[in-house]
Amino acid sequence: VQLQASGGGLVQVGGSSKLSCAASESSFTITEMSWYRQAPGKQRMLVASVDNHGTTNYADSVKGRFSISRDNAKNKVTLQMNSLLPEDTAVYYCHVLLISGDIAGYQWGEGTLVTVSS
């Protein structure tokens, strides 16, 4: 599976931005789709995830501001980010969990930089 992320860039404090990630066709079933982020000097952390039943999970720091959604038909996940803060500045990574029979795995997409300026 290959992941192609888009979106990000420079945005002002309080503004909005949207990230999208599309997975290529494969024989694997995508179970969970997630966004992680890594700020300078910090560890990569989970921002939000959505499983193939639509159940979502958010980091406390983004609850109420970010919304994750997925289009199963298109193997696409979107992260809508509102009320952005300087501390949201980070490289954002798309991540998927895969399964095919007894085989499970994961894939990372290339990161996309989101910079929130004050």
Side-chain angles (χ1 to χ4, degrees):
V1 172
Q2 291 185 328
L3 302 178
Q4 182 67 49
S6 60
L10 181 64
V11 62
Q12 291 189 335
V13 170
S16 297
S17 186
K18 184 168 74 174
L19 304 179
S20 295
C21 177
S24 61
E25 294 274 344
S26 82
S27 59
F28 284 85
T29 297
I30 296 175
T31 54
E32 186 179 271
M33 305 185 83
S34 307
W35 287 96
Y36 285 73
R37 70 185 183 191
Q38 186 165 19
K42 295 189 177 181
Q43 290 188 332
R44 192 173 299 188
M45 60 165 280
L46 176 67
V47 176
S49 65
V50 56
D51 66 18
N52 52 359
H53 301 292
T55 302
T56 59
N57 181 48
Y58 295 93
D60 287 343
S61 59
V62 306
K63 282 181 181 177
R65 300 188 298 121
F66 290 13
S67 177
I68 190 170
S69 60
R70 68 186 281 175
D71 183 335
N72 290 327
K74 296 181 180 179
N75 282 340
K76 183 177 179 180
V77 61
T78 299
L79 184 69
Q80 178 65 46
M81 305 181 291
N82 300 324
S83 302
L84 283 161
L85 303 170
E87 49 263 44
D88 294 318
T89 295
V91 177
Y92 286 72
Y93 298 89
C94 179
H95 177 270
V96 297
L97 294 179
L98 310 164
I99 189 168
S100 179
D102 294 333
I103 301 172
Y106 62 91
Q107 181 67 46
W108 289 99
E110 292 188 359
T112 183
L113 178 63
V114 175
T115 303
V116 183
S117 66
S118 56

